[in-house]
Amino acid sequence: MSVQTWTFLIVGLSFALYLYIAFRARAGSTSEFYVSGSAVHPVHNGMATAADWMSAASFISMAGIISFMGRDGGVYLMGWTGGYVLLALLLAPYLRKFGKFTVPNFVGDRYYSQTARLIAVLCALMISFTYVAGQMRGVGIVFSRFLEVPINTGVVIGTVIVFFYAVLGGMKGITYTQVAQYCVLMFAYLVPAIFIALMMTGNAIPQLGFGGQLSDGSGVHLLDKLDGLSTDLGFPAYTSGVRPIIDVAAITLALMVGTAGLPHVIVRFFTVPTVRAARSSAGWALLCIALLYTTAPAVAAFARTNLLKTVDNAVYAELPAWFANWEKTGLLKYEDKNADGRVQYYNDKNSSPEFQAKVAAAGWRGNELEIDRDIMVLANPEIARLPNWVIGLVAAGALAAALSTAAGLLLVISTAFAHDFVKCAVNKNISEKGELMCARIASAAAVVIAAYFGINPPGFVAQVVAFAFGLAAASFFPAIIMGIFQKRMNREGAIAGMVVGIVFTAAYIVWFKFIHPDRNVPANWLFGISPEGIGSVGMLLNIIVAQLVSRFTPEPPADVQKMVEDIRIPRAVREG
């Protein structure tokens, strides 16, 4: 069967499964809609958390970034992995013990302020809409290639699917749907990785093949081969790093602390019955996440090596069919600038004088190939000439990754509106049925807005997601960490810190990505920190402002300080 037929079959079966699960597990109360009735088994919750966590950025874009940026792309791997550990060990158990299943609810009660709650609602909406834009864009890319429709049409198709199982099922339906999506996305990620590792290195374990020798009898290690291919084309060695160290540190920090402030991940620790179960599900989630994250660097290296060996100086008319298929999407572009019928792919901007001399001698006229980094994982099985069913499986996995996170984010948006805004601020006497209806209406509206951002994204998938993490780092993380570990932090300090942090970070991102994208170069960045890493500076500003303001304003009420002690210190220890 053809690639398109396999894709229709596998994607269709997986979608049917998701919709069936969502229907059978549909929510009948606000408790089931928001936190699945706090009755999910820790193992199931761990798998659902992993699916919620491993978005289109993890499945589609992370390996693509690493394949293009080499060592510098590892900041995403380090930041997201370290961030989950930080969340699971430092914040999740305390938030679960506090008993408030949304971040705005925690902020509003901990800082005894409706103003703080409303600011937290606005922050949650900004973060979630930024994050979901990347997911819907990923859905559009997958549908564009494998169903041979325009990217915008693909976004609309994905929007309709998410609408049904997110709006109908709520957290209960989403949780069990995400368990199925985790199984699909991990199988889809590991199968081609194992096949390609065997083909290239003779080792069935991708992580070992990544550091092993090629199986072509040359005795050359994979990374040495990739370094040579990169430098021959005027690029830095794959294993070298060119990004400033301060920017690497800032991006890693922003991703880590932003992770710990992501509302759609935090809420998952309230779907289990006890604090102990929350800790257990965090461990299971970390194990599930590690399977993909430790495989991503190998996938990136395999993809770049195969791509360079296939297209470098190749005759355009003799290129494999996958090249033409991706050209149709507009995500891969070829322009024969010197009319020689060959593909010259090289670095024509910042390469060495020696390489420039080589370019002049060869008569090249600038780089002729443009590749969107988001296609690397999806095109990898085709480049490696794996069976068509594997290509269709990868499409299903990518959709599972994008849709699982999109559903979780849409639930955060609906919860922030219905519970934290309508229930807690506008109409405290609203009935449970009315609140549930508000949540579903908010989900429907959020789906439409998410589709718009998917059609008009502010960057490639992982970059957009990095912006969301930066906003979370600058707003929620300081408010949560100080709210748990510092009794003296009051509402005035928390409000001032959140406002300063998120306004500074959002303004910096908008300035360089939308208003003046032509100035988005290291020479113009504050302290040499890119928009992807500026959330770390926003976090520091948040903490500094909050500390200063809290010192010159009244202490929190005694009952709030006692509540903070109760969260942090076990009762037996306190009584002893």
Side-chain angles (χ1 to χ4, degrees):
M1 291 191 292
S2 67
V3 170
Q4 191 174 28
T5 303
W6 273 113
T7 302
F8 271 116
L9 179 62
I10 298 175
V11 171
L13 289 174
S14 62
F15 276 17
L17 175 63
Y18 305 153
L19 293 174
Y20 172 76
I21 293 174
F23 177 78
R24 288 297 302 270
R26 62 191 182 277
S29 66
T30 53
S31 176
E32 289 182 339
F33 191 90
Y34 293 147
V35 291
S36 193
S38 296
V40 180
H41 191 278
V43 176
H44 294 158
N45 194 57
M47 296 172 71
T49 302
D52 208 353
W53 175 260
M54 293 186 295
S55 63
S58 295
F59 191 100
I60 297 174
S61 201
M62 183 169 63
I65 287 178
I66 297 174
S67 69
F68 270 72
M69 298 174 62
R71 194 185 75 179
D72 285 342
V75 297
Y76 293 90
L77 188 68
M78 294 185 295
W80 285 333
T81 307
Y84 183 79
V85 175
L86 181 67
L87 170 63
L89 298 181
L90 187 62
L91 298 184
Y94 299 110
L95 289 173
R96 181 64 179 80
K97 189 176 180 182
F98 188 83
K100 302 298 180 181
F101 55 81
T102 70
V103 175
N105 214 4
F106 169 84
V107 171
D109 286 5
R110 165 59 181 87
Y111 295 111
Y112 50 98
S113 169
Q114 286 292 78
T115 302
R117 186 191 307 277
L118 292 177
I119 291 173
V121 168
L122 292 175
C123 292
L125 293 177
M126 287 181 64
I127 294 164
S128 298
F129 276 123
T130 305
Y131 203 158
V132 81
Q135 311 315 307
M136 302 314 296
R137 184 65 175 179
V139 171
I141 290 172
V142 175
F143 279 131
S144 173
R145 164 61 189 93
F146 295 108
L147 300 186
E148 297 184 3
V149 297
I151 290 180
N152 294 350
T153 303
V155 172
V156 173
I157 295 172
T159 299
V160 173
I161 297 293
V162 172
F163 174 83
F164 275 103
Y165 72 78
V167 175
L168 176 68
M171 179 58 81
K172 186 178 180 182
I174 286 172
T175 295
Y176 292 105
T177 301
Q178 286 175 335
V179 172
Q181 287 170 330
Y182 173 77
C183 296
V184 171
L185 74 88
M186 280 309 309
F187 190 67
Y189 203 84
L190 293 177
V191 166
I194 292 170
F195 279 177
I196 297 173
L198 276 171
M199 294 168 59
M200 295 184 67
T201 67
N203 198 317
I205 302 176
Q207 292 86 341
L208 298 180
F210 177 61
Q213 293 182 348
L214 296 172
S215 57
D216 57 5
S218 64
V220 177
H221 283 76
L222 171 67
L223 292 177
D224 290 336
K225 177 70 173 180
L226 194 48
D227 279 345
L229 289 171
S230 299
T231 54
D232 286 347
L233 297 177
F235 295 94
Y238 185 77
T239 55
S240 68
V242 297
R243 186 181 286 269
I245 293 298
I246 188 172
D247 193 34
V248 170
I251 294 175
T252 303
L253 179 60
L255 294 175
M256 285 184 63
V257 298
T259 295
L262 286 179
H264 76 290
V265 177
I266 290 173
V267 73
R268 293 233 56 94
F269 294 99
F270 293 91
T271 61
V272 291
T274 64
V275 175
R276 182 177 181 180
R279 293 181 185 273
S280 176
S281 68
W284 283 107
L286 189 58
L287 176 63
C288 293
I289 292 168
L291 287 177
L292 187 145
Y293 272 54
T294 58
T295 307
V299 171
F302 297 154
R304 185 174 177 89
T305 302
N306 281 331
L307 175 70
L308 295 181
K309 289 167 62 177
T310 302
V311 304
D312 179 34
N313 208 34
V315 177
Y316 175 71
E318 299 175 359
L319 285 170
W322 68 263
F323 193 94
N325 290 333
W326 280 104
E327 273 191 300
K328 294 176 184 177
T329 68
L331 300 173
L332 187 152
K333 300 176 183 178
Y334 167 68
E335 179 185 358
D336 192 2
K337 295 182 178 180
N338 58 354
D340 64 352
R342 291 183 173 274
V343 180
Q344 275 88 42
Y345 178 57
Y346 61 93
N347 179 22
D348 59 347
K349 294 181 179 179
N350 299 313
S351 52
S352 65
E354 294 79 11
F355 184 81
Q356 292 296 335
K358 176 183 175 181
V359 169
W364 294 343
R365 295 292 183 271
N367 187 9
E368 298 177 342
L369 187 63
E370 293 183 22
I371 304 172
D372 189 304
R373 64 194 70 194
D374 285 336
I375 76 170
M376 294 301 291
V377 170
L378 299 175
N380 197 21
E382 294 181 277
I383 299 173
R385 301 184 180 183
L386 295 183
N388 289 344
W389 67 267
V390 178
I391 299 171
L393 179 64
V394 170
L399 291 171
L403 295 178
S404 63
T405 303
L409 290 165
L410 292 172
L411 186 67
V412 167
I413 293 169
S414 65
T415 304
F417 177 79
H419 183 76
D420 299 314
F421 179 68
V422 175
K423 171 75 173 178
C424 297
V426 177
N427 183 7
K428 296 183 179 180
N429 297 319
I430 189 172
S431 66
E432 182 172 307
K433 184 177 179 180
E435 185 181 350
L436 187 60
M437 180 59 67
C438 282
R440 286 185 165 140
I441 293 173
S443 291
V447 166
V448 175
I449 299 173
Y452 171 80
F453 283 121
I455 293 171
N456 302 282
F460 57 86
V461 175
Q463 188 179 46
V464 175
V465 171
F467 295 154
F469 279 69
L471 294 173
S475 57
F476 280 152
F477 178 76
I480 294 172
I481 200 75
M482 290 186 294
I484 292 173
F485 294 102
Q486 191 174 5
K487 293 192 299 181
R488 181 62 177 79
M489 182 51 57
N490 60 12
R491 64 185 175 191
E492 292 82 4
I495 291 171
M498 283 193 294
V499 170
V500 169
I502 199 163
V503 168
F504 167 80
T505 303
Y508 193 90
I509 292 172
V510 169
W511 177 263
F512 282 114
K513 299 303 297 185
F514 299 100
I515 299 177
H516 292 292
D518 55 313
R519 300 182 186 178
N520 188 23
V521 294
N524 295 327
W525 294 341
L526 180 66
F527 307 125
I529 298 175
S530 64
E532 291 85 350
I534 200 61
S536 57
V537 179
M539 176 199 67
L540 294 176
L541 286 175
N542 184 330
I543 293 173
I544 292 170
V545 170
Q547 293 293 333
L548 289 175
V549 172
S550 67
R551 289 297 179 269
F552 294 98
T553 48
E555 290 187 358
D559 61 322
V560 172
Q561 296 192 46
K562 184 177 184 302
M563 176 181 64
V564 175
E565 279 193 354
D566 290 342
I567 294 173
R568 289 190 294 111
I569 304 173
R571 183 176 302 170
V573 174
R574 196 166 59 247
E575 291 176 351

